[in-house]
Amino acid sequence: MADGCRDCASCTKSWLGRVAQKLATGVLYLCTIGVAFLVKRGVMRHCPQCHHLLSKHARRSDGSFRD
């Protein structure tokens, strides 16, 4: 506590409280990454052959794939 101020809630937390706060921040970060991964894999359309996003495939002017 010597390096922080003596009045704010963050500096006056116990050691265990600070560890729990950092752990909760890490868990929130991992949950955000997990949700983004699920949205990408579950909602966006993928090629059945190579599993890349369909929007990344080159197409001809009539809409068919150029592969």
Side-chain angles (χ1 to χ4, degrees):
M1 238 173 36
D3 59 344
C5 66
R6 61 183 177 91
D7 295 327
C8 72
S10 294
C11 291
T12 57
K13 277 187 181 175
S14 67
W15 177 83
L16 186 60
R18 287 191 306 268
V19 169
Q21 183 179 14
K22 289 185 189 283
L23 184 63
T25 303
V27 169
L28 180 63
Y29 180 71
L30 288 175
C31 287
T32 303
I33 290 174
V35 167
F37 178 76
L38 289 175
V39 165
K40 181 187 178 294
R41 297 300 282 166
V43 175
M44 301 178 82
R45 295 183 51 145
H46 293 81
C47 174
Q49 292 176 346
C50 66
H51 303 289
H52 291 141
L53 291 174
L54 278 179
S55 61
K56 300 293 183 185
H57 279 277
R59 296 180 187 246
R60 295 186 187 98
S61 60
D62 65 352
S64 62
F65 292 113
R66 208 181 297 175
D67 298 327

